Amino acid sequence: MAISQAMCTSFKKDLLDGTFNFSSGTGQVFKIALYTDSATLGAATTAYTSSDEVTGTGYVALGKTLTISTNPTTSGTTAYLDFADVTWSSASITARGALIYMYNGGTNPAVAVLDFGADKTSSAGDFKIVMPTADASNAIIRLA
């Protein structure tokens, strides 16, 4: 089993098909779910799955809703957007990676897989994902 950081291939196609709209106020909900080192996630991931999702105090299946901190914008020839940091408070969990996806109560299409590089653990404390700087070189979602 492995988690490989990637923008999901299905996301690229769905983006061109008009499935996603990341602008604030569109009604689309994006979430981030955490996964154990037993998960198999990568570019071929097409949708949220509960298989090998983290369990533990302070974590609820389906993960947390993300807040868009930077609406889609451009810099030079790169378009990008970013989400606010997300925290699971008073959590006792271990995660190896995460999946960003659009929550629609149905197919829940995948956006991107994050590989933490190693297990990250919180014990009755905050488990926080710090999103990268919101710019054309670092934002979590970038199209160059």
Side-chain angles (χ1 to χ4, degrees):
M1 307 295 177
I3 295 176
S4 299
Q5 184 142 327
M7 186 174 291
C8 300
T9 303
S10 60
F11 166 70
K12 296 171 189 176
K13 179 192 174 294
D14 289 346
L15 191 61
L16 295 177
D17 284 340
T19 300
F20 294 95
N21 184 340
F22 288 93
S23 295
S24 296
T26 65
Q28 290 191 349
V29 175
F30 295 91
K31 295 188 101 172
I32 186 165
L34 300 177
Y35 291 87
T36 70
D37 63 355
S38 297
T40 300
L41 300 169
T45 301
T46 59
Y48 162 82
T49 177
S50 60
S51 180
D52 298 311
E53 188 173 7
V54 164
T55 59
T57 303
Y59 185 84
V60 177
L62 297 169
K64 284 208 166 230
T65 299
L66 291 167
T67 301
I68 294 173
S69 63
T70 302
N71 274 313
T73 191
T74 60
S75 177
T77 60
T78 301
Y80 65 93
L81 68 99
D82 207 18
F83 297 105
D85 298 346
V86 62
T87 302
W88 285 265
S89 299
S90 302
S92 293
I93 53 178
T94 298
R96 171 56 195 250
L99 176 67
I100 296 173
Y101 67 99
M102 181 176 73
Y103 176 75
N104 62 14
T107 58
N108 299 324
V111 173
V113 173
L114 307 179
D115 178 5
F116 300 156
D119 281 349
K120 302 297 180 187
T121 301
S122 63
S123 181
D126 289 349
F127 188 100
K128 185 173 186 175
I129 296 178
V130 177
M131 297 296 176
T133 303
D135 63 28
S137 299
N138 299 294
I140 196 73
I141 307 286
R142 299 183 309 278
L143 300 173

